[in-house]
Amino acid sequence: MTPRHTLVAGGAGFLGSHLVDRLIAAGHDVLVLDNFCTGSPRNVEHLSRHPRFRLRLHDVIDPVAVDVDGIFNFACPASPEHYQRDPVHTTLSSVMGVRNMLEQARRCGARIFQSSTSEVYGDPEVHPQVESYRGHVNILGPRACYDEGKRCAETLCSAYHRQYRVPVRIARIFNTYGPRMQPGDGRVVSNFIVQALRGEDITIYGRGEQTRSFCYVDDLIEGILRLMDSDAEGPLNLGNPHESTVMELAELVLRQTGSRSRLVYRPLPADDPRRRCPDIGRARRVLDWQPAVPLEDGLRETIAYFRRVLGLGRPMLSMPGRPVTAAETAPAAAPQWVPELAAVAAAQEAQQPAH
């Protein structure tokens, strides 16, 4: 990938911050925009003194004008806990935010990557999900702010490509996990790990028979970079094609943590998908990409990360070939490098529930 001036919207979030690490390592000059509604200054604190890294507090709902030749847009809450908290803002982030990023790309002649989601398929009636499937989505349900927002974002991307010839790359991202997930984000992997490490009951919705496919973050970022650097047009699935039930995930987390937590069962949330698994045949053909990290290995590293975040004092582990970053091993002190962002971090911590 040729080094370039790159904007990453939502670059202090879970996925965005991992991408920023890869871009900096590849020689890019990177500008991160983030409003920190779900991202964290800690995720990019280790880059604070890097000469090719800049950070700007900004909400993509508001226009921005910068000179870049590549844009990655991750700016939208992505977990049910977060995107249902303020459904109006979630919808506007997906629509107005994407429109502003597309206008930026149009003005600069930049290529833009849009992080879409498997949620555009809703509760699918086709399995596994292929890119040509149009989905089965409740447009009025509690998840619609995210599902329909992302569908509209894809529509805008396609319209800008057809009408203005803006070069667009769209990835429909399936369940992804790894370090820098937030303890209270409502995702099933982080929920189970945090509950197991704290010795709390593990919450299973329904009977745990619904399926998901779990892709480790390093694998996903590699797919995103290959897509951005390719000639692929149209949405492309990125995720792990190996399907697991929620119950299987819970049992694996219990084994790896050594926890004695009990399994408790709650009713399924509205519109919760019964099956979710990508067909990645197109990604294999076009990008020569498929996930490489087994679930057991990825969970081991993710559990080690959460041990540190929760202050449980066990050492961080690293998988072969992937060094642990400074951000993942640094003491949990408030960032000092940008005072206003240190205040953001302190406010986020104050909102975390006590345990």
Side-chain angles (χ1 to χ4, degrees):
M1 196 175 201
T2 304
R4 58 179 65 159
H5 297 281
T6 304
L7 184 157
V8 182
F14 166 45
L15 298 181
S17 64
H18 283 279
L19 177 76
V20 170
D21 283 344
R22 286 288 302 272
L23 293 174
I24 290 289
H28 291 244
D29 290 290
V30 178
L31 169 64
V32 166
L33 303 181
D34 210 299
N35 68 352
F36 298 101
C37 71
T38 58
S40 172
R42 300 189 192 287
N43 289 340
V44 290
E45 182 183 7
H46 59 292
L47 298 171
S48 62
R49 299 185 184 278
H50 198 288
R52 288 185 280 103
F53 174 81
R54 291 181 296 149
L55 176 64
R56 182 183 301 180
L57 188 61
H58 183 83
D59 192 320
V60 294
I61 289 176
D62 301 318
V64 64
V66 293
D67 290 323
V68 294
D69 46 30
I71 298 172
F72 292 85
N73 183 38
F74 294 90
C76 184
S79 71
E81 178 75 19
H82 291 151
Y83 66 65
Q84 292 181 35
R85 185 180 301 160
D86 188 346
V88 172
H89 190 272
T90 296
T91 306
L92 291 176
S93 295
S94 290
V95 180
M96 292 303 299
V98 171
R99 188 257 186 186
N100 288 333
M101 291 298 103
L102 287 164
E103 278 295 316
Q104 173 68 34
R106 179 189 176 196
R107 186 182 68 82
C108 294
R111 177 174 294 191
I112 181 171
F113 168 85
Q114 168 61 17
S115 63
S116 190
T117 172
S118 59
E119 297 293 338
V120 301
Y121 299 122
D123 187 6
E125 297 175 323
V126 169
H127 190 80
Q129 290 81 62
V130 294
E131 289 90 348
S132 59
Y133 177 52
R134 296 182 180 179
H136 179 232
V137 177
N138 177 1
I139 65 172
L140 302 178
R143 303 170 71 104
C145 59
Y146 186 66
D147 301 1
E148 289 297 312
K150 288 290 190 177
R151 287 163 69 97
C152 185
E154 287 195 19
T155 300
L156 276 170
C157 288
S158 299
Y160 267 75
H161 176 65
R162 284 193 298 267
Q163 186 169 342
Y164 302 123
R165 307 311 302 167
V166 173
V168 174
R169 301 293 179 265
I170 302 172
R172 290 176 178 166
I173 297 172
F174 283 68
N175 292 66
T176 305
Y177 70 99
R180 302 184 193 166
M181 299 179 81
Q182 292 187 22
D185 68 3
R187 290 181 169 102
V188 64
V189 171
S190 50
N191 277 359
F192 285 179
I193 292 174
V194 170
Q195 289 171 337
L197 291 176
R198 286 175 170 163
E200 301 170 351
D201 292 343
I202 290 182
T203 307
I204 305 287
Y205 293 101
R207 301 303 301 172
E209 297 170 349
Q210 64 272 41
T211 68
R212 299 292 184 268
S213 58
F214 301 104
C215 184
Y216 190 68
V217 62
D218 289 357
D219 285 333
L220 180 77
I221 298 303
E222 177 63 26
I224 288 171
L225 289 170
R226 292 191 187 194
L227 174 57
M228 186 62 157
D229 213 29
S230 77
D231 295 324
E233 294 187 355
L236 191 143
N237 289 338
L238 290 180
N240 195 320
H242 299 290
E243 199 173 0
S244 302
T245 67
V246 168
M247 180 62 74
E248 288 169 343
L249 175 69
E251 292 170 347
L252 182 57
V253 168
L254 285 173
R255 287 199 301 273
Q256 290 204 0
T257 58
S259 174
R260 297 182 179 179
S261 294
R262 300 179 309 142
L263 302 181
V264 297
Y265 299 89
R266 299 286 184 266
L268 277 172
D271 302 324
D272 191 57
R274 294 162 295 173
R275 300 188 73 180
R276 183 62 63 73
C277 184
D279 183 315
I280 63 166
R282 187 162 175 255
R284 286 190 175 110
R285 292 190 304 272
V286 175
L287 307 181
D288 189 27
W289 174 88
Q290 62 182 0
V293 178
L295 180 59
E296 291 81 1
D297 291 348
L299 276 181
R300 192 172 298 113
E301 179 142 325
T302 308
I303 289 167
Y305 167 79
F306 275 112
R307 287 191 189 279
R308 184 188 68 81
V309 168
L310 299 176
L312 299 180
R314 302 236 184 141
M316 174 69 77
L317 303 178
S318 180
M319 292 186 297
R322 181 192 182 277
V324 177
T325 69
E328 294 164 6
T329 58
Q336 299 298 316
W337 48 285
V338 181
E340 62 270 26
L341 297 188
V344 171
Q348 287 179 335
E349 290 178 356
Q351 293 173 3
Q352 295 294 321
H355 290 275

